[in-house]
Amino acid sequence: MRPTLAKMAGGNAVNLDPALVRYANMYVKRHEYFRWTPRTAWISFAYVIAVPSAFLYMAYKTEGKWNLRGKLRGDTIAEF
């Protein structure tokens, strides 16, 4: 039977950094520590509703204004 790496290295083969272990545990259990505060509510609103709404508004506002196909040098791309 072959000895394992831990036995050959004299016990613990790899010493883990305690800060990285704490970070990994925090990352896995992040949902347990989350709380709704005014700051987290505002950030969630901004990224879930405000930013997509702004992109959607700009998409509808500029729909059909530019045509980039079949243009020659000097031709304008604006269609309005």
Side-chain angles (χ1 to χ4, degrees):
M1 184 154 80
R2 296 176 47 180
T4 63
L5 180 62
K7 287 183 180 178
M8 290 192 308
N12 220 356
V14 178
N15 291 328
L16 300 175
D17 184 7
L20 290 177
V21 172
R22 281 194 310 267
Y23 176 76
N25 289 333
M26 186 268 316
Y27 185 78
V28 170
K29 296 182 176 189
R30 182 178 307 214
H31 64 281
E32 296 178 12
Y33 299 108
F34 179 79
R35 283 214 250 173
W36 284 107
T37 62
R39 181 176 184 264
T40 57
W42 173 249
I43 290 172
S44 297
F45 171 78
Y47 283 109
V48 172
I49 295 173
V51 171
S53 297
F55 279 118
L56 188 64
Y57 172 76
M58 290 304 296
Y60 279 125
K61 183 97 170 141
T62 60
E63 177 67 28
K65 280 194 174 183
W66 296 287
N67 184 4
L68 301 177
R69 290 181 170 224
K71 298 293 182 178
L72 298 175
R73 185 179 298 171
D75 288 347
T76 180
I77 63 170
E79 295 290 330
F80 55 97

